[in-house]
């Protein structure tokens, strides 16, 4: 959803063409004006734009705070909050008329949205590195959207960090919708207050991530729909407001050509308002600003000190500003980007441009569109998707390029969104022709940041450019493994994907996914090999051959390869699961699983709650394991490199109440078990450091199972296990975990050893973005939350918090919603 941004002062109405009417002054003018932003905050520049009819020649403004102006389009800053009555008297030789408008100015820390049903929004933030806290500085943009900067932490009120949008969705589901997103890794809380009722909702984002969120059930009510586009003439967006420092003349964020002139923004996009702000002090001895002439280079001119134009074509335009009274002449050229291109230059160095493109897919309709760009400043911009939302001013995706070369030699990228659409953001470094592509999955509000910058050796034609030569094999059903073969295919983060057939750009196809299994280098051939698995399709069935192009996302550098054909059916090595015996027991009880395709290295067995069990023996048709510590009553899961199968209720394993382990024999037995127990187990699960859930279950199974695993040793019979359990309560239901729980298979932490502030990745399946996943170190009742920095279905990047986790052995666990999975290994915290 795209938001207008007007660098320092929000001039709300766009005048694409300045028309000089030579009409005779036979009638008095009809006064009218617009204000931008509609609900400004204290210390923010407010633009007043004359839209009077009847060719006025004089203007008298009263801003309601004893301040006045005779300019046609003045800019004003309010020093105190409150309602103000603004009056414009427009005159010509035939008379005058007057227009009165109420303007509500909020506290500098409060963002006021939706005038028809007002909400007050505040922000409280904390820098997790220093412990310092600070309130947000409000930067209103439109009636439904605005930003917060955090000057107490960044020392720059013009640096937007958190965006908030409130939409009247009462005609859809009877509620107002709240969206928020951040371009910062600070911890923060957004608090939204419904002014009429005082009802409050708070939204917390933890430190270390750039996640956003949305709430479409907040604040029920039946307000009339606010037309947020009204203040913007001809469909043009308001320019982004970067505020002045209080009591100072300008913000250092604003690009200044010289002391007396500022162009905002100086990296505009086609269709965006550009303002030439003349800052010279004019003597008051009868002299007028009207003697100043601005020539924009597009055939338009202006005699206003805050002159505005809209460029309808991309290219380079030569402009001049002349002031004959002060003998001043400013001249230069302005580069205007195409409508779909956001051009940023964080360093200010000549030629150091980043051209950014956005491709968006609506997951509901399958339609694609490109983003409509809007430059807020040299470092910050946003995109709307009017093809989907029908509003050019509705900001959806936000991008910031930060010059951190003085810190670590890199240009940092931050991005966030206030839409659940899927997108691919292509950031191209023009100097090197080098691209990084950032993906966001559908139905999420995930943001992200990349602190690694750009590697010139990854540029096209350079020695480290990632190239996929071919795949082996080139077709197969789901459950097929294939290998990418090529050059420079290794990195810290490798994500394989199928390209969406609906677009020509590198864009992930969400219908079919690939699971990363192995990456390595062949010293004989000199090739890099990346082995992946074609996962079972979600939501549809492959009924005929489906040919898709494959790709690899290597640390956000994307390489596209040849085509792979997904055939209908199931691969020959996908496992099946037919049963297990016995069907109950204490920790340590031997259990034999039966099925097919169990023989592969890397096979795993998980008891309910994804507690991993040891594999003592395995063959193509059986696995001999034992009940692991921490197991709970429920299903059993088998995972092989070719797929995942889970026992189907009522086929569940009951963990008996005794915790005395049964000795495990040294050889594989033939097991014949007949049990008719009535068992009631009370299971206590610690789900968060402060929450304990109690689940009570009752099962009465009658099971006779005979299993003969393949083995070369002489089996030793195991006695029938019939535990004695005293029931404590009676359960009414038997919980069954839904499919899709997180699975962790490996990490890139050397030796699975970490220390304070270490960043590492773990890999697996059914993972999620940082807004949906909770990552923890767990040891008994001790649970420590780890900061999530990036996440998708197959990999998650986390950071160990400083001075919070004692040394020791832990399980690494991931929880998505009510589903939780833990790793098979221990992490040693040093």
């Amino acid at each position: 959803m795209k938001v207008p941004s007007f660098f320092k002062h929000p001039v709300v109405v766009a005048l694409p063409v300045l028309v000089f009417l030579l009409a005779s002054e036979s009638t008095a003018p009809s006064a009218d004006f617009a204000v931008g932003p509609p609900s400004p905050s204290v210390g923010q520049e407010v633009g007043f734009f004359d839209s009077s009819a009847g060719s006025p020649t004089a203007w008298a403004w009263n801003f309601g705070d004893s301040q006045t102006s005779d300019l046609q389009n003045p800019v004003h800053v309010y020093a105190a909050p409150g309602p103000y009555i603004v009056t414009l008297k427009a005159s010509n030789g035939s008379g005058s008329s007057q227009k009165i408008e109420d303007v509500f100015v909020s506290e500098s820390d409060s963002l006021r949205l939706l005038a028809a049903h007002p909400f007050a929004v505040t922000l409280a933030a904390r820098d997790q590195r220093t412990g310092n806290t600070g309130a947000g500085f409000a930067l209103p943009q439109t009636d439904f959207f605005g930003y917060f900067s955090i000057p107490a932490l960044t020392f720059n009120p013009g640096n937007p960090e958190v965006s908030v949008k409130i939409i009247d969705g009462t005609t859809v589901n009877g509620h107002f919708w709240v969206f928020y997103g951040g371009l910062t890794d600070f911890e923060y809380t957004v608090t939204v207050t419904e002014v009429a009722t005082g009802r409050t909702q708070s939204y917390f984002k933890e430190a270390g991530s750039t996640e956003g969120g949305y709430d479409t059930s907040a604040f029920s009510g039946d307000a009339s729909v606010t037309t947020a586009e009204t203040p913007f003439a001809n469909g043009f967006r308001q320019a982004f407001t970067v505020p002045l420092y209080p009591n100072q003349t300008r913000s250092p964020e604003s690009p200044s050509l010289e002391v007396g002139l500022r162009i905002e923004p100086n990296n505009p996009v086609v269709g965006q308002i550009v303002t030439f702000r003349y800052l010279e002090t004019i003597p008051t001895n009868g002299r007028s600003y009207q003697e100043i002439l601005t020539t924009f280079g597009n055939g338009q001119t202006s005699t206003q000190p805050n002159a505005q134009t809209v460029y309808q074509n991309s290219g380079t335009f030569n402009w001049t500003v002349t002031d004959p009274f002060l003998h001043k002449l400013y001249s230069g050229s302005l580069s205007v980007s195409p409508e779909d291109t956001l051009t940023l230059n964080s360093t200010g160095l000549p030629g150091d441009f980043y051209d950014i493109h956005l491709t968006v897919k609506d997951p509901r309709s399958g339609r694609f569109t490109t983003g409509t760009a809007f430059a807020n400043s040299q470092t910050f911009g946003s995109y709307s998707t009017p093809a989907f939302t029908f509003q050019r001013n509705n900001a959806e995706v936000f991008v910031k390029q930060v010059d951190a070369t003085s810190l670590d030699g890199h240009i940092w990228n931050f991005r966030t969104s206030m839409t659940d659409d899927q997108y691919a953001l292509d950031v191209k470094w023009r100097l090197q022709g080098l691209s990084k592509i950032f993906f966001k999955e559908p139905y999420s509000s995930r943001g992200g940041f990349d602190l690694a910058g750009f590697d010139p050796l990854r540029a096209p034609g350079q020695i480290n450019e990632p190239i996929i030569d071919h795949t082996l094999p080139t077709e197969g059903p789901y459950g097929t493994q294939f290998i990418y073969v090529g050059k420079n295919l290794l990195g810290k983060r490798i994500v394989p994907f199928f390209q969406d057939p609906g677009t020509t750009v590198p864009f992930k196809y969400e219908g079919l996914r690939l699971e990363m299994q192995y990456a390595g280098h062949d010293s004989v051939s000199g090739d890099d090999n990346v082995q992946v698995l074609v996962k079972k399709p979600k939501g549809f069935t492959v009924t005929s051959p489906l040919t898709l192009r494959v790709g690899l996302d290597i640390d956000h550098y994307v390489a596209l390869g040849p085509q792979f054909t997904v055939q209908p059916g199931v691969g020959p090595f996908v496992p099946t699961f037919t049963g297990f015996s016995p069907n109950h027991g204490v920790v340590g009880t031997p259990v034999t699983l039966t099925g097919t395709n169990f023989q592969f290295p890397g096979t795993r067995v998980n008891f309910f709650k994804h507690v991993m069990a040891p594999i003592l023996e395995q063959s193509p048709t059986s696995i001999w394991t034992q009940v692991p510590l921490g197991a709970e009553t429920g299903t059993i899961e088998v995972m092989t490199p070719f797929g995942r199968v889970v026992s189907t209720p009522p086929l569940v394993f009951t963990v008996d109440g005794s915790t005395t382990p049964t000795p495990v024999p040294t050889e594989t037995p033939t097991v014949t078990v007949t049990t008719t127990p009535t068992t009631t187990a009370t299971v206590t699960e610690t789900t968060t450091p402060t929450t304990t859930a109690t689940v009570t279950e009752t099962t009465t199974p009658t099971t006779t199972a005979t299993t003969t695993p393949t083995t070369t040793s002489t089996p030793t019979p195991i006695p029938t296990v019939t535990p004695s359990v005293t029931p404590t309560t009676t359960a009414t239901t038997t919980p069954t975990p839904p499919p899709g729980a997180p699975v962790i298979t490996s990490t890139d932490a050397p030796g699975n050893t970490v220390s304070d502030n270490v960043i590492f990745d773990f890999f697996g399946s059914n993972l999620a973005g940082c807004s949906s996943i909770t990552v923890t170190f767990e040891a008994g009742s001790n649970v420590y939350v780890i900061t999530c920095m990036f996440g998708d279905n197959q990999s998650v990047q986390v950071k160990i918090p400083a001075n919070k986790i004692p040394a020791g052995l832990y399980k690494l666990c991931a929880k998505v919603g009510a589903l939780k999975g833990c790793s098979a290994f221990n992490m040693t915290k040093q």
Side-chain angles (χ1 to χ4, degrees), residues 451-786:
L451 309 185
F454 283 84
D455 178 2
L457 292 178
R458 289 282 191 178
Q462 302 301 308
I463 59 174
N464 287 340
E465 177 192 0
I467 298 172
I468 302 172
D469 292 325
H470 58 276
T471 64
L472 294 171
T474 60
E475 63 176 41
Y478 89 82
T480 298
Q481 286 175 322
F482 71 88
I483 296 176
Y484 294 86
V485 180
K487 299 291 191 297
N488 304 315
L489 304 183
L490 306 182
K492 292 183 178 179
R493 175 184 175 276
I494 305 173
V495 180
F497 64 93
F498 284 119
Q499 184 181 16
D500 197 307
T503 179
T504 57
V505 301
F507 201 98
K508 288 183 180 179
Y509 181 48
E510 294 292 317
L512 273 171
R513 297 206 179 188
L514 298 172
E515 182 178 283
M516 175 73 182
Q517 293 188 316
Y518 166 80
H521 180 73
D522 187 334
S523 59
V524 177
S525 66
D527 291 325
D528 292 333
N529 297 323
V530 177
Q531 180 177 290
V532 299
L533 172 71
V534 181
K535 298 183 68 176
K536 185 177 181 179
K538 291 185 177 180
F540 75 99
T541 302
V542 179
T543 57
S544 59
L546 177 61
T547 300
L548 300 167
R549 196 175 184 187
V550 300
L552 282 176
D553 178 357
I554 307 162
D555 299 329
H556 300 298
Y557 294 105
V558 171
L560 289 178
Q563 294 179 333
F564 183 93
T565 300
V566 182
Q567 300 287 356
V570 179
F573 302 118
V574 173
T576 64
F577 191 2
T578 59
F580 48 79
S581 178
N583 63 1
H584 73 95
V586 297
V587 172
T589 298
V591 180
T592 301
L593 316 181
T594 56
T596 63
N597 294 319
F598 287 169
Q599 71 269 30
F600 301 102
T603 296
R604 293 174 48 189
V605 174
N606 290 327
F607 278 65
F608 187 49
K609 298 295 184 182
H610 290 275
V611 179
M612 191 172 189
I615 294 179
L616 307 176
E617 295 284 351
Q618 70 183 101
S619 74
T621 58
S622 67
I623 294 176
W624 188 40
T625 182
Q626 66 184 99
V627 180
L629 182 66
E632 298 184 15
T633 296
T635 55
I636 298 179
E637 172 188 61
V638 176
M639 294 183 61
T640 79
F642 292 93
R644 168 182 174 269
V645 288
V646 182
S647 63
T648 303
L651 188 60
V652 297
F653 188 91
T654 301
V655 179
D656 295 333
S658 173
T659 59
T660 304
T662 301
V664 179
T666 57
E667 299 181 355
T668 306
T670 299
V671 184
T672 301
V673 181
T674 302
T675 62
T676 311
T678 298
T679 306
T680 301
T682 300
V683 183
T684 302
E685 175 199 1
T686 302
T687 55
T688 67
T690 58
T691 304
T692 302
T694 302
V695 182
T696 306
E697 303 156 9
T698 301
T699 61
T700 309
T702 301
T703 307
T704 301
T706 302
T707 305
T708 307
T710 301
T711 179
T712 58
S713 59
T714 302
T716 300
I718 294 181
T720 300
V721 181
T722 306
S724 175
V725 180
T726 302
T728 56
T729 57
T730 301
T732 58
T733 61
T734 299
T736 300
V743 174
I744 303 172
T745 57
S746 61
T747 78
D748 63 1
N752 294 328
T753 300
V754 294
S755 56
D756 283 349
N757 294 314
V758 164
I759 297 175
F760 71 94
D761 293 89
F762 63 86
F763 309 94
S765 59
N766 302 322
L767 304 175
C770 286
S771 61
S772 303
I773 193 170
T774 301
V775 183
T776 54
F777 272 169
E778 299 187 8
S781 61
N782 296 319
V783 178
Y784 302 94
V785 177
I786 309 175

Side-chain angles (χ1 to χ4, degrees), residues 148-201:
F148 285 100
S149 62
I150 314 174
L153 302 182
T154 67
F155 309 103
N156 187 350
N159 181 15
E161 297 279 33
V162 179
S163 51
V164 180
K165 178 163 56 179
I166 301 179
I167 294 177
D168 184 350
T170 54
T171 58
V172 179
N173 70 345
H175 292 79
F176 293 89
W177 300 350
V178 177
F179 295 79
Y180 62 96
L183 293 162
T184 176
D185 67 346
F186 291 156
E187 174 187 296
Y188 66 75
T189 299
V190 174
T191 301
V192 182
T193 302
E194 189 175 32
V195 174
T197 65
R199 180 185 174 191
T200 296
Q201 295 273 15

